[in-house]
């Protein structure tokens, strides 16, 4: 245990001396937090919506059919006749409650309110749900000639936001970024530190010592878990100061889960770093020419992959549009266009590599 603790202190000492690593550990997570917290926006569709229809009349069923005919919502079950239970369990993003006198009130030429309970944690979804239901309600009134000359329409959708009544987008984005930061950066730092041991030659000292491989890895694991805890604390403080994010309830599950999560992330980073060292040690036996040729081939593969990725994304978009419009002709046309363009680019790249491959390799080798 003393040797593991000594390895732990040695890792922290090396980490502290390397300014670049310190910057990667603490400045990059903050940059990611700010970028995602302020800039990211999401598109919402296929929103699960549960219905509680107390009226159960032909007119109320027609209204519900209009809601789902917009293809913006999908039906979600209503649990135990409780309009809030499906939202609490994450099964539905909203619940539409139709009162028992819906049909009679409309036939009496009076106004009536339907209640819409919306999960406000995802602000974009909440906004889409609110606007979608109100727009569909307006369309329902127009199509069924239920718009008499009155300042207030006969059916009014009253929206109530749950969990995030102020519709703060940071309450939805920032907690998710917390998990991203704790996975990406501790694992990356652990992998970099492991590979750097080989590059700087300090791993020879480990070979010469009586420290076992398990003790060496465990010392690194504990060191970068401690660094990850520091990143987590800084992220929580910045999230509280800039975005108003607070821990609600018992913090014990969050603390325990964070440590377990960090342990898995750092272990993954150590695995990547150790495998990379093994690759270098084994690859070195093949000679410099073989390693250089392998790197050139990898660069060719990366260039080809990046050149064809754009057509793959375009094909996904075209196929998605065709599927949404239920158009087989658009689907076929999009698939053919993407395939033809991709094949054309592949042929041109193959010709370029065949004609000027030597020149390209010389440029890469310089």
């Amino acid at each position: 245990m003393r040797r593991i603790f000594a390895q732990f202190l040695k890792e922290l000492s090396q980490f502290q001396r390397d300014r670049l690593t310190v910057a990667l550990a603490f400045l990059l997570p903050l940059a990611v937090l700010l970028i995602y917290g302020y800039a990211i926006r999401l598109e919402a569709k296929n929103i699960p919506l549960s219905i509680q229809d107390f009226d159960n009349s032909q007119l109320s069923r027609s209204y519900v059919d209009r809601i789902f005919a917009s293809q913006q919502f999908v039906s979600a079950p209503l649990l135990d006749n409780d309009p809030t239970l499906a939202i609490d369990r994450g099964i539905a993003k909203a619940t539409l409650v139709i009162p028992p006198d819906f049909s009679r009130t409309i036939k009496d030429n009076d106004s009536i309110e339907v209640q819409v309970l919306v999960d406000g944690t995802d602000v974009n979804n909440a906004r889409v749900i609110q606007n979608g239901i109100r727009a569909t309600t307006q369309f329902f009134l127009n199509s069924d000639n239920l718009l008499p000359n009155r300042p207030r329409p006969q059916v009014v959708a009253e929206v109530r936001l749950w969990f995030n009544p102020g519709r703060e987008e940071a309450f939805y984005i920032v907690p998710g970024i917390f998990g991203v930061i704790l996975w990406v950066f501790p694992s990356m730092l652990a992998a970099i530190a492991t590979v750097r041991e080989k590059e700087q030659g300090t791993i020879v000292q480990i070979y010469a010592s009586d420290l076992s491989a398990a003790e060496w890895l465990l010392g690194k694991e504990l060191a970068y878990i401690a660094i990850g805890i520091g990143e987590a604390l800084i992220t929580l403080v910045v999230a509280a100061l800039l975005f108003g994010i607070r821990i609600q309830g018992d913090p014990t599950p969050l603390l325990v889960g964070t440590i377990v999560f960090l342990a898995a992330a750092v272990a993954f980073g150590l695995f990547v770093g150790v495998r990379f060292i093994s690759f270098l040690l084994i690859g070195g036996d093949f000679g410099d020419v073989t390693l250089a040729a392998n790197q050139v081939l990898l660069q060719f593969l990366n260039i080809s992959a990046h050149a064809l990725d754009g057509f793959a994304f375009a094909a996904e978009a075209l196929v998605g549009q065709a599927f949404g419009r239920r158009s087989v002709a658009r689907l076929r046309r999009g698939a053919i266009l993407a395939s033809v363009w991709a094949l054309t680019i592949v042929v041109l790249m193959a010709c370029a590599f065949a004609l000027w491959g030597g020149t390209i390799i010389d440029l890469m080798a310089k």
Side-chain angles (χ1 to χ4, degrees):
M1 190 64 190
R2 292 176 57 187
R3 292 187 295 184
I4 294 175
F5 186 70
Q7 174 68 17
F8 165 75
L9 294 179
K10 173 248 186 186
E11 288 296 327
L12 290 182
S13 177
Q14 285 187 343
F15 171 81
Q16 185 179 4
R17 288 196 299 267
D18 192 338
R19 294 182 179 179
L20 177 60
T21 305
V22 173
L24 288 174
F26 297 108
L27 295 182
L28 275 183
L30 294 180
V32 171
L33 176 67
L34 296 176
I35 291 172
Y36 277 76
Y38 283 116
I40 192 169
R41 296 295 180 268
L42 302 176
E43 180 185 2
K45 57 183 179 179
N46 295 328
I47 302 169
L49 173 70
S50 60
I51 303 293
Q52 188 172 36
D53 187 358
F54 288 107
D55 190 50
N56 199 24
S57 63
Q58 181 179 357
L59 194 59
S60 67
R61 289 193 294 270
S62 176
Y63 177 52
V64 172
D65 290 340
R66 292 288 184 185
I67 294 289
F68 289 115
S70 65
Q71 298 184 355
Q72 194 174 29
F73 303 97
V74 294
S75 179
L78 183 70
L79 303 180
D80 298 333
N81 288 324
D82 186 344
T84 64
L85 191 58
I87 298 177
D88 289 338
R89 295 184 179 179
I91 298 175
K93 291 296 182 182
T95 299
L96 175 65
V97 182
I98 301 176
D101 53 349
F102 179 82
S103 178
R104 179 180 58 81
T105 304
I106 291 178
K107 291 179 180 179
D108 291 341
N109 202 22
D110 291 331
S111 295
I112 190 169
E113 295 180 352
V114 294
Q115 188 178 42
V116 184
L117 305 177
V118 180
D119 181 356
T121 51
D122 185 344
V123 178
N124 190 61
N125 258 359
R127 188 181 297 114
V128 169
I129 293 170
Q130 177 177 322
N131 295 336
I133 289 183
R134 285 178 174 170
T136 306
T137 301
Q138 185 71 19
F139 180 77
F140 168 73
L141 296 174
N142 288 330
S143 61
D144 288 70
N145 297 320
L146 299 175
L147 281 174
N149 294 325
R150 58 169 64 236
R152 181 177 172 86
Q154 283 188 276
V155 180
V156 179
E158 291 293 338
V159 178
R160 179 183 176 188
L161 296 178
W162 282 51
F163 309 126
N164 187 11
R167 290 187 290 186
E168 295 288 339
E169 290 190 344
F171 290 169
Y172 173 69
I173 299 295
V174 173
I177 300 306
F178 179 73
V180 173
I181 288 173
L182 294 189
W183 177 262
V184 172
F185 294 103
S187 61
M188 179 183 66
L189 292 171
I192 291 174
T194 306
V195 174
R196 189 170 294 172
E197 292 266 14
K198 168 63 179 176
E199 292 178 347
Q200 296 180 349
T202 56
I203 198 171
V204 177
Q205 300 175 4
I206 305 299
Y207 295 155
S209 68
D210 58 351
L211 194 69
S212 67
E215 292 170 338
W216 179 68
L217 289 174
L218 189 56
K220 282 184 173 294
E221 175 86 11
L222 293 176
Y224 285 95
I225 288 176
I227 294 169
I229 292 174
E231 291 181 343
L233 293 176
I234 291 176
T235 303
L236 288 175
V237 170
V238 173
L241 294 177
L242 295 184
F243 303 106
I245 306 296
R246 301 288 189 273
I247 298 176
Q248 302 293 332
D250 184 10
T252 304
L254 175 63
L255 297 176
V256 175
T258 298
I259 294 174
V260 174
F261 188 78
L262 283 171
V266 173
F268 175 76
L270 291 176
F271 171 78
V272 173
V274 169
R275 297 307 298 174
F276 186 79
I277 290 178
S278 300
F279 171 77
L280 290 178
L281 293 175
I282 296 173
D285 296 335
F286 292 101
D288 297 338
V289 176
T290 303
L291 286 177
N294 182 66
Q295 289 300 316
V296 170
L297 290 175
L298 287 177
Q299 292 301 320
F300 280 142
L301 179 62
N302 289 333
I303 293 172
S304 303
H306 286 300
L308 297 176
D309 274 348
F311 296 104
F313 296 147
E316 290 176 1
L318 292 173
V319 170
Q321 291 177 358
F323 182 79
R325 297 183 180 183
R326 303 293 192 271
S327 174
V328 178
R330 281 180 173 270
L331 177 64
R332 185 180 296 110
R333 182 172 178 271
I336 292 175
L337 280 176
S339 301
V340 169
W341 275 105
L343 180 61
T344 302
I345 295 299
V346 166
V347 171
L348 292 176
M349 292 179 65
C351 293
F353 291 152
L355 295 175
W356 302 292
T359 304
I360 296 174
I361 292 174
D362 291 339
L363 291 174
M364 290 181 175
K366 288 183 179 180

